[in-house]
Amino acid sequence: MEAGAIRPGYELWRPNREKPEAQSARVLVVFLLLATAALMFVIIIGGWTRLEGVKPLTIAYAALYVLFAFLVARWNRGVLPVASALAIILAIFAGIAAPAWFDRAKDGLSDPALPPDLLGILCLVLVPLQVILIAVAMVAFNQDWHVEEERPIGDEIPSGDPPDDPDEEPRATRSSSSRLSSRGSRSSRSDAPA
């Protein structure tokens, strides 16, 4: 049988994706990525006339966050460390850009579409948002979304749960008890005098 092939009558099951903490971490990462992208687009549009030379880079950065949100929504955990690394870089750039926007809030300087103070505040909001994104993405990465197991097709009960019928013994108990009874009968025969 080939590596990665599924046996007939079985299906792949990803048990870690069904856990509530994994589902909430995925939703939170998607929300943080989309919120960051939205804030970046607001800053881009609001400060378009005053952004010098970084317009294409900033648009690409925001678009990358949207792409990552799409991939994480589809349970792709491979982008989580990359998103964390980009969040570190973005937090640094946002922390550096905020004072520059506040410095523009003076008489004699032309204002962009949004007030410079508001753009500075939005840059400051990006910093803690990226710190939270880093923490949640690393927690989500450690939840092992990629683990796959085989189970019989249509089997909804994970192994180890009790059967629905209380009179029916579980298969593992039945086979182990029959082995014990056969061992006991063998030992009693060997102890009998010849």
Side-chain angles (χ1 to χ4, degrees):
M1 181 176 264
E2 294 178 25
I6 303 170
R7 294 183 289 172
Y10 285 83
E11 64 183 351
L12 284 180
W13 175 52
R14 295 172 178 92
N16 293 336
R17 293 183 184 182
E18 295 178 8
K19 295 178 181 177
E21 57 269 12
Q23 293 177 357
S24 60
R26 178 181 66 132
V27 169
L28 190 55
V29 169
V30 169
F31 171 75
L32 290 170
L33 287 168
L34 291 177
T36 300
L39 274 176
M40 288 174 68
F41 280 124
V42 168
I43 293 170
I44 291 167
I45 293 168
W48 185 263
T49 58
R50 297 294 166 247
L51 292 175
E52 294 180 12
V54 294
K55 294 175 189 175
L57 177 66
T58 312
I59 292 170
Y61 218 95
L64 201 56
Y65 268 54
V66 173
L67 175 66
F68 286 172
F70 173 74
L71 292 173
V72 170
R74 296 185 61 197
W75 292 102
N76 185 334
R77 75 188 269 271
V79 298
L80 293 172
V82 179
S84 295
L86 291 178
I88 292 169
I89 296 169
L90 182 60
I92 292 168
F93 284 147
I96 292 171
W101 284 116
F102 290 129
D103 289 344
R104 288 199 61 82
K106 296 178 182 172
D107 292 334
L109 295 176
S110 61
D111 287 343
L114 289 176
D117 287 334
L118 177 61
L119 292 172
I121 290 170
L122 291 177
C123 286
L124 286 179
V125 168
L126 274 177
V127 176
L129 194 64
Q130 297 314 293
V131 172
I132 295 169
L133 174 62
I134 293 164
V136 175
M138 288 298 92
V139 167
F141 184 75
N142 289 323
Q143 290 177 338
D144 293 331
W145 296 350
H146 65 292
V147 173
E148 296 175 338
E149 296 177 3
E150 279 186 348
R151 68 176 176 186
I153 293 176
D155 187 14
E156 296 296 324
I157 303 172
S159 60
D161 287 350
D164 293 335
D165 187 9
D167 297 333
E168 182 183 331
E169 269 187 68
R171 282 183 230 153
T173 308
R174 211 178 314 138
S175 63
S176 62
S177 63
S178 64
R179 276 190 235 129
L180 288 175
S181 63
S182 66
R183 282 186 202 150
S185 63
R186 277 191 225 135
S187 63
S188 62
R189 282 188 215 134
S190 63
D191 291 342

